[in-house]
Amino acid sequence: MKRTGARLADGREILYYDAQTDPETDGATRAFPDTRALDPSALVTTSEVRCDPLLGDAVVIASHRQGRTHLPPADACPLCPSTPGRTSEVPAPDYEVAVFENRYPSLAGDTGRCEVICFTPDHGTSFAELDEERAALVLAAWTDRTAELSAREGVRQVYCFENRGAETGVTLAHPHGQIYAFSYVTPRTTRMLATVAAHRERTGGNLFEEVLAHERADGSRVVLEGEHWTAFVPYAARWPYEVHLYPRRRVPDLPALGQEARAEFPRLYLELLRRFDRLFERPEPTPYISAWHQAPTGEGRDHDDFALHLELFTVRRAADKLKYLAGTESGMEAFMNDIRPEDAAARLREVASP
């Protein structure tokens, strides 16, 4: 992998990741100048982290994001490569994978950092349509950003994720994801760690490992398996179609993954995404959220006991129905699932690639 760094017109960092498959072009620069007249003072944000006094959860207040770009037409997409007469957030005329600081970040300065990762320059495709080499490059970029951001002072957790489809709240249609470096441990991870710690105290074992072992032994909710990864619908799935992908060997984060697991990941992950697109008889791709769960940064039991895993779920429950977070979910965080996890797993096995 080759990484090339540059700066955008307002001082934000942009990084280009290339697979270096062509020796003749290895070393070619991606660092094209950004000719836009952007005001660096616009980077000053009003983000702040407040604590809910009753729940203890951190909440980010980011009122400056109200003016961010919202569903532009394809010919005005800010994530496509720049062309003569039209400059974008990516100054280069082409790229493989690009990562840059978000122009409208929820987290900035003392509250953290937000980055955008573009999986491909092709506006009309999706992650599921990438080849394995490009998916491997995206994994390498996720890993590189996790390692670098985790080492920054004040960062407590790095979160790589993709929202796909307008139904999930996506404001840009170009295939892309985001990388958040939080200045605190997120509420969901905090709850996981508390449960894992209580299990360790009670039994001496690791709860993540035991969950994975149980799912593999039961088999009714396993969607697919490789030599180094297992994908299953969780026993108490919250979403109609929800899959968790775990490496067989427990590691805390992406940088800790072994080479064999890295090599196998693209094939399995692309197969999962393609199965999601075949779940419903609709011409439109299935909306989903794909989220890497990683340990908090630093050393200690919170880091060592955590298990890296990916959670993939769709907000669609049928071809013509969405799963809305209604009163129980939104008001009380009490999820009600319309589909048995075992039936969801059976359907995901049914739509396997030929």
Side-chain angles (χ1 to χ4, degrees):
M1 180 190 74
K2 176 181 174 60
R3 189 178 94 165
T4 304
R7 291 284 173 181
L8 299 176
D10 53 8
R12 286 175 294 135
E13 185 177 25
I14 183 168
L15 301 166
Y16 299 96
Y17 292 86
D18 290 275
Q20 294 184 244
T21 56
D22 185 352
E24 294 184 3
T25 60
D26 180 27
T29 183
R30 298 283 192 190
F32 284 78
D34 183 1
T35 59
R36 296 173 296 172
L38 299 180
D39 183 4
S41 65
L43 292 178
V44 178
T45 73
T46 56
S47 294
E48 58 177 313
V49 179
R50 298 184 181 182
C51 183
D52 183 316
L54 296 180
L55 298 177
D57 291 346
V59 177
V60 174
I61 310 298
S63 58
H64 63 280
R65 283 173 51 79
Q66 279 285 62
R68 66 188 185 276
T69 306
H70 183 76
L71 298 176
D75 60 2
C77 174
L79 307 185
C80 289
S82 292
T83 58
R86 194 192 78 83
T87 53
S88 73
E89 287 284 82
V90 186
D94 191 24
Y95 63 85
E96 292 186 23
V97 173
V99 177
F100 59 86
E101 291 182 75
N102 197 320
R103 190 174 179 183
Y104 302 97
S106 298
L107 307 168
D110 292 341
T111 64
R113 175 170 162 128
C114 293
E115 299 180 343
V116 176
I117 176 169
C118 302
F119 306 135
T120 169
D122 186 351
H123 183 90
T125 191
S126 69
F127 201 122
E129 296 177 87
L130 301 181
D131 60 24
E132 290 185 23
E133 181 181 62
R134 180 60 56 83
L137 183 60
V138 174
L139 176 61
W142 281 330
T143 303
D144 180 74
R145 299 313 302 144
T146 296
E148 182 169 306
L149 293 171
S150 295
R152 293 191 175 208
E153 185 177 356
V155 170
R156 292 288 290 117
Q157 187 175 9
V158 178
Y159 175 48
C160 306
F161 64 101
E162 179 193 3
N163 300 336
R164 202 270 289 270
E167 298 92 334
T168 69
V170 168
T171 57
L172 298 174
H174 193 103
H176 76 288
Q178 300 184 67
I179 303 170
Y180 276 28
F182 288 96
S183 60
Y184 56 91
V185 180
T186 58
R188 184 175 172 86
T189 302
T190 298
R191 290 173 62 186
M192 279 189 203
L193 289 169
T195 303
V196 169
H199 185 82
R200 169 77 72 181
E201 180 70 22
R202 186 171 63 253
T203 70
N206 182 274
L207 183 57
F208 287 109
E209 292 179 349
E210 293 177 20
V211 166
L212 178 58
H214 174 77
E215 293 295 348
R216 293 188 64 210
D218 178 276
S220 64
R221 290 176 296 277
V222 172
V223 174
L224 61 83
E225 282 200 284
E227 187 177 350
H228 303 284
W229 296 84
T230 299
F232 60 90
V233 176
Y235 173 75
R238 288 168 168 77
W239 299 92
Y241 292 95
E242 175 182 347
V243 175
H244 293 189
L245 180 62
Y246 276 64
R248 295 273 187 87
R249 183 177 70 85
R250 181 170 59 85
V251 294
D253 52 27
L254 286 166
L257 269 180
Q259 288 305 312
E260 291 178 328
R262 291 183 188 282
E264 187 179 67
F265 172 80
R267 176 177 62 84
L268 295 184
Y269 184 53
L270 289 171
E271 171 63 12
L272 279 178
L273 294 183
R274 291 162 186 168
R275 290 189 192 189
F276 265 58
D277 278 343
R278 290 192 289 266
L279 277 173
F280 310 105
E281 295 180 359
R282 294 174 58 90
E284 302 88 358
T286 299
Y288 64 73
I289 293 175
S290 178
W292 280 110
H293 291 257
Q294 305 194 81
T297 61
E299 299 179 354
R301 180 61 71 187
D302 283 356
H303 181 271
D304 297 341
D305 257 0
F306 198 84
L308 168 75
H309 63 283
L310 183 141
E311 298 186 8
L312 172 68
F313 61 89
T314 178
V315 296
R316 187 168 295 286
R317 59 187 175 91
D320 59 346
K321 298 180 179 70
L322 294 178
K323 166 62 178 177
Y324 292 102
L325 294 187
T328 56
E329 289 94 354
S330 296
M332 295 300 290
E333 294 185 18
F335 275 74
M336 313 287 175
N337 195 344
D338 302 291
I339 298 178
R340 289 180 71 248
E342 293 76 14
D343 295 338
R347 175 59 178 157
L348 284 161
R349 291 192 296 267
E350 182 181 293
V351 295
S353 297

